[in-house]
Structures are given as C-alpha cells and as structure tokens.
C-alpha cells in the first residue's frame, strides 16, 4: 500500500525541515521525502496549501478505561484524538481499578491495539491505588510497556515515598510524571486565589500550592538524577523554579495544558463548571509566564489533560463539579488560533511542542518523518475557520471551556501507520 502526499509544507523539526515537499508512504512507513515524487501510488493526497507534520502526541489524557466508561473509553477517546489530529495519546492511571499492575497495563495496550484509532501509551501509577502509601511494581509495568509513572490527580504527599519512587524508576530509566499541587493547601479551594476569587467570594487555591510541590520534586530530581516531568504547569512560580533547575542541569521537564495557555480565572465568573480544572485557571500574569516558558524552552510540551466526564457529572453547581473537561478535539485548533496566528509560537515551535519533544521526553519511536520511521502524520489546515460545537465531538465528555469559540486552523487529516483515520474532521474506520 502506497500513499503519496503531494505539495504540502513539510514541517519536521527533527530534520530541521520547513519546505514544500512530497512524502511517499509505503506499508506503514515513510519511504521518501523529496521536492517531487512521481512514483505511482494507491492513493494521492493533495496537500497543496496544507501543512504536513509528524503525528501530534498528547502525553496527558484520561481515556477512563478501565471502569469509567460512562465518561470515555478507548474507542471514543481515540476517535476524538484522531478527529483532533492527535496520533498518539498517553493515558493516565486514575481509573477504576487504578492502572497499578502489569496485568492492567497489558490489558489496556492489547485493547488499544485492537480497538483504538490512534496509538495509546499507558502510564502506570506510582503508588498502589494512587493512595500515596505503597509503591507499585513499576519494574513489572515498565517491562509490559508502561511509558512512565504518575499518580495524576493526586500529589504524592509523602516525600519519602517520592524519593523511593525516583530511585526505583531511575534504575530502569523511566520518568515520573508529577501532579504537583500541595493538597493540604488546596483541598478547600475551588479556583485560583486572587482578585477574581475574592470578588466572587469563592474559596481560592493559592498558586504557591503548586510552586512548593514543584520545588520539592525539582530537588528530588536533582538529588536522584531521575527524570521528573511536571504535569500541567500553571503557575509563574513553577515555571521559574523549573527554568532555574534546568539551568543547573537537573533532569526535569514539563508540559503546559492548552487551557492554561489561553484562558484565565475570569472564566469562573460565569460559575460555569467548564472552568473547573486542576490546577485551576489562573490570572493573566501566570498565562504570560507560561507563554514565556514555552518560548524559551522551559516548557517542553503542550498537552490537553483531556479529562472527560459524563454530562450529568458536570451539570451541577460550580463547587460540586469534578475537575477537568475534554480537549482532544480542540487542542490543535486553539493552539493555532491563539498561539500561532497571534505570533506567540512559530509553526515549527508548535510542531516541536506537540510532536518532536513529547516523543523525545519519553523515548517514543515517533515525532519524526525521517525516512524509515512510522508514518504517523498530522496534516493541518492553518486557515480553516470554524466554530467549536461539542455536539459534533466524538468524545463522550461534551463539556469544554472552548464551546462556541471561533477558531482559525484545524487538523485536516490524521494518518496512523500509513492509513488515514481522519479526513476533513470525519473519522474513518481503520
Ligand atoms: Zn493532573
């Protein structure tokens, strides 16, 4: 099976490429990249006016399997990814049961390989049941293909447990992904503590709850030499702590979520549960600091933290709503609209943050279109104008803070292992 992608603007930071090229894909792999390829192919995709990039990777999603299929499952979640132009997702372990044994890791990988529309990486839990008390068998899970380890949704409160976890995974060269918010300082709050929370009379969560947790884990990364990746960095203090640690050569990396890069706590003024998320949406000074961090390389990757909930779970009062919302079908578009078109990031930077770096961070065989690599490809239409309408989403979690947003830019097609799984927003059978 040969597919020839003609005339696209190929943007691939792994090869320092940004030029109009043809890409020939054969039997699931990138075969040739050249100015003009005239070889006969089974399918010719005209990418004139479009951008061809290595498949986008989202290292922070919640696919909700096993056990929480009313919110999402591997089929609906990976369809949403394909629709959004994401070729690979990593799923967090806060499921029911928690992904804390090698059997569950294997089970998800098997089901994802059979039923999923995109590639799925599995993140195992650091502690049993994500309870923060007892380490899981991370070595066994790593042998079964776990990408990394995280108690996402919870801060590993006990520093001794965290230190032992870092020493344990350092021995087999895996990373810990940390949801860093001091729980004692945040459990009574519902939004970012600041001018807006004071005005609304809603108990706030101080941003230092994040800074303190990140500082501790930067110290543990430095002491152990283990790669620690900070999930969804949202505070300016955390950005600065990570920047300074990186300067000292500490093996620390981090990601920022699309909503933290584009929205502020003013959204909570509507009491919409679509603004409830952890860490909370913060004030504009934090958003600006995150953007600076993206530009100077402090922040390595952009993620969604796609966290769908069943509609009735979000259809409650602000205080009682669970944290999180869906993101896979809006991330590319919102990044293009708010960061690329508004000159915060260049296009190669967008591809780097959403494909090249995420692959490098976790040693994934992805994030590049070098000949011989797997043909996972995201094709972008930078100028496509459209309005977010969650009724058209593939995800089960329809709540999004971007509902009704007018976007410029969208994924035009998604290819997995040489086969298109989405064209023009419509997910096709694999
Ligand atoms: Zn989290």
């Amino acid at each position: 099976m040969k597919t020839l992608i003609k005339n696209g603007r190929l943007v691939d930071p792994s090869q320092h490429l940004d030029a109009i090229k043809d890409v020939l894909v054969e039997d699931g792999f990138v075969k040739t990249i050249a100015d003009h390829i005239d070889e006969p192919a089974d399918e010719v995709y005209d990418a004139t006016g479009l951008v061809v990039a290595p498949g986008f990777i989202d290292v922070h999603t919640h696919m909700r399997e096993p056990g929480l299929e009313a919110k999402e499952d591997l089929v609906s979640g990976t369809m949403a990814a394909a629709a959004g132009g994401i070729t690979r997702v990593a799923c967090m372990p806060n499921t029911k049961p928690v992904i804390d044994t090698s059997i569950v890791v294997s089970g998800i990988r098997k089901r994802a390989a059979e039923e999923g529309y995109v590639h799925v990486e599995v993140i195992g839990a650091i502690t049993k049941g994500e309870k923060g008390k007892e380490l899981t068998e991370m070595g066994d899970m790593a042998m079964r293909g776990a990408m990394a380890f995280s108690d996402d949704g919870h801060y590993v409160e006990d520093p001794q447990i965290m230190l032992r976890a870092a020493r344990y995974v350092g021995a087999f060269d895996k990373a810990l992904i940390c949801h860093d918010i001091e729980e004692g300082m945040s459990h009574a709050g519902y939004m970012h503590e600041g001018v807006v929370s004071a005005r609304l009379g809603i108990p706030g969560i101080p941003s230092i709850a994040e800074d303190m947790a990140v500082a501790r884990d930067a110290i543990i990364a430095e002491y152990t030499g283990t790669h620690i990746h900070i999930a969804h960095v949202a505070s300016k203090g955390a950005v600065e702590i990570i920047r300074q640690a990186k300067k000292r050569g500490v093996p620390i990396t981090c990601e920022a979520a699309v909503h933290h890069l584009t929205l502020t706590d003013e959204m909570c003024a509507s009491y919409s549960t679509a603004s409830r998320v952890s860490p909370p949406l913060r004030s504009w000074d934090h958003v600006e600091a995150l953007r600076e961090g993206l530009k100077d390389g402090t922040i390595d990757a952009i993620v969604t933290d796609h966290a769908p909930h069943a509609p009735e779970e979000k259809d409650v009062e602000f205080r009682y709503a669970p944290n999180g919302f869906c993101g896979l079908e809006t991330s590319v578009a919102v990044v293009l609209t708010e960061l690329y078109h508004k000159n915060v990031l260049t296009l190669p930077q967008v591809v780097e943050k959403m494909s090249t770096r995420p692959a490098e961070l976790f040693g994934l065989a992805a994030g590049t279109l070098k000949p011989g690599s797997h043909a996972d490809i995201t094709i972008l239409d930078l100028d496509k104008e459209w309005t977010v309408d969650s009724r058209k989403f593939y995800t089960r979690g329809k709540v999004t803070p971007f509902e009704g947003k007018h976007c410029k830019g969208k994924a035009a097609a998604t290819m997995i292992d040489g086969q298109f799984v989405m064209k023009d927003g419509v997910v096709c059978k694999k």
Side-chain angles (χ1 to χ4, degrees):
M1 171 78 185
K2 281 188 191 180
T3 304
L4 180 56
I5 303 172
K6 293 278 298 174
N7 276 320
R9 174 180 167 193
L10 180 65
V11 178
D12 182 357
S14 78
Q15 306 180 70
H16 307 286
L17 262 177
D18 182 356
I20 305 290
K21 297 278 182 190
D22 290 351
V23 179
L24 180 67
V25 169
E26 189 176 7
D27 298 332
F29 294 91
V30 177
K31 180 142 190 264
T32 322
I33 292 172
D35 291 348
H36 298 286
I37 300 173
D38 288 316
E39 229 175 292
D42 301 289
E43 180 178 2
V44 177
Y45 183 95
D46 181 9
T48 305
L50 304 176
V51 169
V52 178
F56 282 12
I57 301 165
D58 189 336
V59 295
H60 193 144
T61 72
H62 298 267
M63 290 286 122
R64 304 304 195 192
E65 268 203 51
L68 300 168
E69 289 84 354
K71 298 173 190 281
E72 192 79 291
D73 65 21
L74 283 163
V75 174
S76 62
T78 56
M79 285 178 100
I86 309 294
T87 58
R88 186 176 298 260
V89 295
C91 60
M92 284 295 180
N94 58 340
T95 47
K96 264 190 186 154
V98 166
I99 304 172
D100 60 4
T101 61
S102 57
I103 288 178
V104 186
V105 171
S106 304
I108 294 171
R109 294 190 74 215
K110 181 167 183 283
R111 197 168 126 67
E114 286 166 1
E115 307 279 337
Y117 282 77
V118 306
H119 299 291
V120 176
E121 301 291 341
V122 181
I123 299 169
I126 297 171
T127 67
K128 290 182 183 169
E130 287 201 347
K131 292 191 189 313
K133 302 285 183 217
E134 224 182 314
L135 293 184
T136 58
E137 298 288 351
M138 289 184 272
D140 286 354
M141 287 192 277
M143 277 200 304
R144 296 302 173 108
M147 180 189 89
F149 299 94
S150 179
D151 273 5
D152 187 53
H154 301 284
Y155 177 51
V156 179
E157 296 239 53
D158 184 339
Q160 180 64 17
I161 292 278
M162 190 61 192
L163 178 61
R164 283 175 46 210
R167 285 182 166 142
Y168 182 10
V169 301
F172 45 84
D173 211 20
K174 287 283 179 186
L176 298 177
I177 303 176
C178 299
H179 173 107
D180 274 351
I181 301 141
E182 277 278 357
E183 294 197 3
M185 210 181 254
S186 65
H187 70 85
Y190 303 98
M191 64 176 290
H192 173 68
E193 180 174 274
V195 178
V196 182
S197 66
R199 193 178 80 219
L200 299 174
I202 294 176
I205 303 164
S207 59
I208 58 166
E210 182 177 336
D211 306 349
M212 291 170 69
V214 170
R216 184 202 73 178
D217 288 339
I219 290 167
I220 290 176
E222 187 161 22
Y223 188 67
T224 57
T226 293
H227 177 194
I228 287 185
H229 177 81
I230 311 295
H232 44 51
V233 167
S235 79
K236 57 185 174 189
V239 173
E240 187 53 28
I241 290 162
I242 295 163
R243 178 180 288 125
Q244 295 306 328
K246 281 188 164 186
K247 277 186 189 155
R248 292 198 306 279
V250 177
I252 190 168
T253 59
C254 71
E255 66 193 31
V258 175
H259 45 273
H260 291 128
L261 289 162
T262 55
L263 300 172
T264 70
D265 54 351
E266 284 290 351
M267 243 208 108
C268 302
S270 64
Y271 298 99
S272 163
T273 59
S275 59
R276 276 293 306 272
V277 66
S278 175
L281 298 177
R282 302 199 188 279
S283 47
W284 184 246
D285 49 329
H286 291 277
V287 176
E288 280 186 315
L290 292 180
R291 290 174 170 198
E292 275 312 308
L294 261 188
K295 285 195 267 191
D296 73 12
T298 302
I299 297 174
D300 300 88
I302 299 175
V303 300
T304 57
D305 192 3
H306 176 81
H309 294 286
E312 63 274 15
E313 293 173 284
K314 276 296 226 185
D315 190 18
V316 293
E317 234 183 273
F318 186 80
R319 283 173 196 245
Y320 304 117
N323 282 313
F325 34 71
C326 64
L328 285 168
E329 284 160 272
T330 49
S331 60
V332 166
V334 173
V335 166
L336 291 175
T337 306
E338 297 297 327
L339 302 181
Y340 166 68
H341 284 297
K342 295 184 180 170
N343 301 316
V344 177
L345 295 181
T346 63
L347 196 58
Q349 282 175 319
V350 168
V351 177
E352 198 192 314
K353 304 289 179 191
M354 299 186 82
S355 180
T356 324
R357 275 301 281 157
E360 286 170 1
L361 292 178
F362 300 104
L364 305 173
T368 178
L369 294 180
K370 281 182 189 151
S373 52
H374 288 276
D376 296 337
I377 299 177
T378 297
I379 298 179
L380 306 170
D381 181 344
L382 297 179
D383 297 314
K384 168 94 176 173
E385 307 221 12
W386 66 289
T387 303
V388 175
D389 178 356
S390 64
R391 289 169 304 180
K392 295 182 180 156
F393 283 175
Y394 287 91
T395 177
R396 294 211 176 117
K398 305 293 182 194
V399 173
T400 165
F402 299 111
E403 185 73 71
K405 181 178 176 62
H406 186 72
C407 291
K408 188 173 182 187
K410 200 174 199 276
T414 309
M415 175 182 270
I416 303 289
D417 289 330
Q419 285 195 31
F420 283 108
V421 293
M422 183 278 277
K423 278 181 185 169
D424 296 323
V426 179
V427 175
C428 12
K429 190 64 202 141
K430 285 195 303 174

